[in-house]
Amino acid sequence: MKKMIKWVAAAAIVGLLAGCARTAPVTQVKSTVSAGHTEAQVRAAILKAGLSRQWVMSDAGPGIIKGRLQARDHVAEISIPYSATRYSINYVSSLNLMASGGQIHKSYNRWVQNLNQNIQLNLSAGAQL
């Protein structure tokens, strides 16, 4: 009976530790833009979304925006290539986000998903950009 209790306790501890994992696979966003948008509108939607989410956005050449987010002592850098028909959000580098082997802190993924959601909302607003 004691062995059974030890095994159940060990399984419970392993389950708790697995549920508390702070890393996940790096999110890579690839999105198609609905017809009727210009490249300038897509660019404006990305910049507006970045501003609303406290990303520092800058042009890095034709059709590419670089983004940088600093939250306390964590830093994430992304690249957003875009056109009138699509855009993607690509991981570039990070600091203090436990990035290793294709894994990164869950906060990074949340930040990128929120940014993508705001870009989509801005594109759907269309004329207000």
Side-chain angles (χ1 to χ4, degrees), residues 26-94:
V26 175
T27 295
Q28 298 288 349
V29 173
K30 293 179 194 270
S31 187
T32 303
V33 176
S34 62
H37 289 90
T38 66
E39 188 171 310
Q41 287 174 317
V42 175
R43 178 182 177 277
I46 293 167
L47 293 174
K48 184 176 178 183
L51 179 63
S52 71
R53 289 285 174 182
Q54 285 90 42
W55 287 84
V56 176
M57 303 295 228
S58 60
D59 285 310
I64 300 175
I65 294 174
K66 293 223 176 218
R68 184 176 204 278
L69 180 69
Q70 184 164 354
R72 296 172 307 281
D73 61 340
H74 308 290
V75 177
E77 294 185 357
I78 57 173
S79 173
I80 308 174
Y82 65 92
S83 69
T85 58
R86 67 182 51 118
Y87 69 89
S88 58
I89 302 174
N90 303 317
Y91 172 82
V92 173
S93 66
S94 62

